[in-house]
Amino acid sequence: MLPLRSVLARALTSRTLALQVCSSFATGPRQNDGMFYEFRTYSLKPSKMNEFLENFKKNVHLRTAHSELVGYWSVEFGGRINKVFHIWKYENFAHRTAVRKALAKDKEWQEQFLIPNLALIDKQENEITYLVPWCKLEKPPKEVHVLWWNESADSRAAGRHQSHEDPRVVAAVRESVNYLVSQQNMLLIPASFSPLK
């Protein structure tokens, strides 16, 4: 299960499509760290979800030739459904700019994935994020996992209930809540081609 936000702003080709685009960029000292992750969310037309996922699965190699895919999930519940959420890793903003330019020139990516799928997307969002200093991104030993890993939605609920009884957790939340601007939780199901499961 991942608490998160997401997805992208991009130039469109000859097709005219009224996409609602949102983006927010990280501010503060973490920008000096260079490496960041771009969270992207596409809200899809409900009848086109499977078509979109199959097309991405078939063409994922074209996109990952340009930058590293950390994970790709579909939203099971939490907010609006019929969404896909994915995370891309960049060494710095210059790296991201170079990737976006390369994708704009990649005719195979444009023709096989981008152009056929533009009509399937209702909305796109993106957000730039940094790892917190005490965290590292790695694959857990179990096959099925996400950023905040739980066996199931029921085990997550049980864990949250247990943590609410722990005075250390309650104290830590009270201490850090002043820094919280917003929070959103979604249950995400990994795509078969997602590096993180």
Side-chain angles (χ1 to χ4, degrees):
M1 192 169 301
L2 287 177
L4 46 109
R5 298 163 20 129
S6 348
V7 172
L8 86 107
R10 73 174 148 205
L12 303 179
T13 58
S14 59
R15 276 203 172 165
T16 306
L17 181 62
L19 292 178
Q20 184 177 7
V21 179
C22 302
S23 72
S24 58
F25 292 90
T27 58
R30 296 298 312 211
Q31 284 183 307
N32 297 327
D33 291 349
M35 188 177 69
F36 64 86
Y37 298 87
E38 184 174 10
F39 287 12
R40 294 179 170 234
T41 302
Y42 301 160
S43 298
L44 304 168
K45 295 180 178 166
S47 63
K48 302 299 184 180
M49 180 80 165
N50 289 338
E51 180 182 343
F52 184 90
L53 285 170
E54 283 302 314
N55 196 346
F56 194 88
K57 179 180 178 180
K58 183 171 63 175
N59 294 294
V60 67
H61 66 284
L62 299 173
R63 179 59 183 83
T64 56
H66 296 280
S67 62
E68 181 182 342
L69 173 64
V70 174
Y72 202 103
W73 300 268
S74 60
V75 175
E76 181 68 14
F77 65 76
R80 180 179 171 182
I81 58 172
N82 300 307
K83 284 188 195 178
V84 294
F85 171 77
H86 39 125
I87 303 172
W88 298 89
K89 179 181 175 182
Y90 296 99
E91 296 305 316
N92 50 45
F93 283 100
H95 178 216
R96 183 185 183 276
T97 299
V99 168
R100 302 312 297 165
K101 285 180 180 178
L103 286 169
K105 293 177 183 176
D106 186 334
K107 292 200 182 302
E108 194 174 11
W109 170 252
Q110 296 282 327
E111 293 171 3
Q112 291 185 29
F113 179 79
L114 186 61
I115 293 170
N117 284 302
L118 287 177
L120 310 182
I121 301 171
D122 279 335
K123 180 180 175 183
Q124 303 176 49
E125 301 171 68
N126 81 320
E127 184 170 357
I128 302 301
T129 62
Y130 298 89
L131 288 178
V132 292
W134 45 263
C135 182
K136 61 183 177 177
L137 193 60
E138 58 185 9
K139 295 180 183 178
K142 292 193 175 189
E143 181 179 325
V144 178
H145 65 276
V146 291
L147 298 181
W148 290 98
W149 183 81
N150 293 279
E151 288 282 344
S152 67
D154 289 332
S155 68
R156 178 186 183 271
R160 285 184 56 84
H161 177 72
Q162 185 179 3
S163 69
H164 291 159
E165 303 294 324
D166 186 330
R168 295 170 299 166
V169 173
V170 171
V173 169
R174 283 187 181 142
E175 186 176 313
S176 62
V177 74
N178 293 330
Y179 303 104
L180 182 65
V181 175
S182 66
Q183 181 175 339
Q184 180 181 11
N185 294 307
M186 291 184 276
L187 176 65
L188 303 175
I189 306 299
S192 61
F193 51 83
S194 177
L196 285 180
K197 301 287 185 210

